[in-house]
Amino acid sequence: MLFRYFLIALGTALLGLAAGPAHAQRNPDRAKVHTFTIAGFKTESGTTLPQARVVYGTYGRLNAARDNAILLPSHYLADHRGYEWLIGPGKALDTTKVFLVATELFGNGHSSSPSNTPEPFHGPRFPVMTIRDNVAAVHQLLTQDLKITHLRAIIGFSMGAQQAFQWAVSYPTFADRLVATSGTAKCYPHGVVRLEGQIAALTADAAFQNGDYTAPPTKGIEAFATVWTAWLYSQEWWRRELWKADSKPGTTFAQVLHEYRTNFIPGADANDLILQMRTWEQHDVGTTPGFGGDVEKALRSIKAPILYMPSETDLYFPLTDARYEAPFIPGVVLKPIPSLWGHTAGAAPNPADAKFLNDNISQFLVQPRR
């Protein structure tokens, strides 16, 4: 199937929730799905949501000491299944030993989002949610709903990596170690320009109506998808036509491009797409209270060991940004992913990347802490 690799990278975004508890009991590597509701959630922007919902999945069992948990924070428009490339027999996360909590970002269409929140916060009136808002909500989820006060690890891809870095700064002793793949501690100006270009493409559709559309702004979403696709993989990936690896024989480039343009994230809501782009572009650990906007100071404050795995060909979070950040992080292990798969390399889009990620993450998680 043409989109298999991409949907793995996005965690099969908006394709519905996983099977329910009965199925999860038969197969420990399938998630049980839960919702945590926070009353009167105050965002960094100053807006208070009467109710903020965080959808999350759990894998495995929490032990009696409640000390075998690992957090997997989701990425752009993904659901809780976005890390199943790490979960199961022969992979880095064995659910017979660890308890996994896979949370869904605000704005993904399941957790509180522009598309599912009633007025006065419906659609374009939904407040911009920061990465810190998401981390604060999940901290409440863990400590209040699950009674977990410490994590063995936090593992994040893309916007999940942004969350991992924020956890390391906001709650420096909450996790024993962290893993960040294809994501940085700050969205730098070039990343903001990219995201603003994608937002501009989407909102240029007259049907968007400043976010108060009565029908999906299809042409805008298709324009957004086309621009996004150009950045998703490396230039060399396109030149070598690596999309053929999982396409039917005879598939043409024109068909591939058409599929990305018209079926990029099936069923995605335009305001949800924009909300998470705003979350992405505003991320900066340096603006955490106490650091005065100094990202280097914030990175120096990190106490937990971090396995930092940028993709060598990522156009979203370029390797140069990771090389800039790494020297400021105590105890960092910088290990670039040698892949032509661009941004998606951080989520195991092919067997070689999957092996590289699982092998290195497995080794890192069992290393004794210095």
Side-chain angles (χ1 to χ4, degrees), residues 308-329:
Y308 197 174
M309 301 182 75
S311 165
E312 288 185 347
T313 55
D314 196 341
L315 300 178
Y316 291 177
F317 297 100
L319 179 58
T320 50
D321 289 347
R323 285 181 171 154
Y324 160 69
E325 292 180 348
F328 303 108
I329 305 172

Side-chain angles (χ1 to χ4, degrees), residues 224-239:
F224 149 84
T226 304
V227 178
W228 192 284
T229 299
W231 292 81
L232 188 61
Y233 304 105
S234 73
Q235 297 94 334
E236 188 71 358
W237 187 93
W238 289 103
R239 188 184 73 78

Side-chain angles (χ1 to χ4, degrees), residues 29-177:
D29 295 330
R30 293 297 298 272
K32 299 178 182 178
V33 185
H34 318 265
T35 300
F36 175 64
T37 302
I38 304 169
F41 183 75
K42 187 173 182 179
T43 68
E44 281 201 322
S45 67
T47 300
T48 298
L49 292 174
Q51 286 193 331
R53 297 185 315 282
V54 180
V55 173
Y56 67 101
T58 58
Y59 303 75
R61 292 186 178 183
L62 186 61
N63 64 16
R66 313 186 90 77
D67 65 357
N68 68 328
I70 292 176
L71 176 65
L72 306 171
S74 70
H75 31 99
Y76 188 76
L77 261 287
D79 65 18
H80 60 273
R81 294 174 295 169
Y83 292 91
E84 291 185 349
W85 49 273
L86 268 177
I87 302 169
K91 298 179 182 179
L93 303 178
D94 181 349
T95 56
T96 66
K97 299 176 181 178
V98 293
F99 177 68
L100 307 177
V101 182
T103 56
E104 301 190 8
L105 279 163
F106 291 128
N108 80 327
H110 300 151
S111 294
S112 290
S113 306
S115 64
N116 64 18
T117 300
E119 295 293 6
F121 300 115
H122 185 68
R125 289 162 290 283
F126 192 85
V128 173
M129 307 294 271
T130 65
I131 290 293
R132 275 187 296 277
D133 286 329
N134 281 275
V135 168
V138 173
H139 184 267
Q140 286 189 243
L141 183 163
L142 292 171
T143 57
Q144 297 176 17
D145 202 33
L146 297 175
K147 304 297 187 291
I148 293 171
T149 58
H150 192 76
L151 294 166
R152 286 194 183 179
I154 300 170
I155 302 171
F157 158 70
S158 188
M159 290 182 79
Q162 290 182 321
Q163 291 170 81
F165 281 115
Q166 190 60 58
W167 273 96
V169 173
S170 292
Y171 304 99
T173 61
F174 201 88
D176 287 335
R177 56 190 64 238

Side-chain angles (χ1 to χ4, degrees), residues 246-265:
D246 203 39
S247 301
K248 294 179 180 179
T251 299
T252 66
F253 169 73
Q255 290 172 322
V256 171
L257 181 57
H258 176 77
E259 183 72 4
Y260 274 105
R261 182 174 60 247
T262 59
N263 197 32
F264 186 68
I265 305 176

Side-chain angles (χ1 to χ4, degrees), residues 128 187-204 224 227-228 231 273-282:
V128 173
C187 182
Y188 295 94
H190 188 252
V192 175
V193 173
R194 173 186 69 82
L195 289 161
E196 285 297 321
Q198 289 156 344
I199 292 170
L202 197 162
T203 58
F224 149 84
V227 178
W228 192 284
W231 292 81
L273 291 168
I274 293 169
L275 184 280
Q276 287 206 345
M277 282 189 274
R278 298 291 189 206
T279 299
W280 183 328
E281 72 181 18
Q282 290 194 15

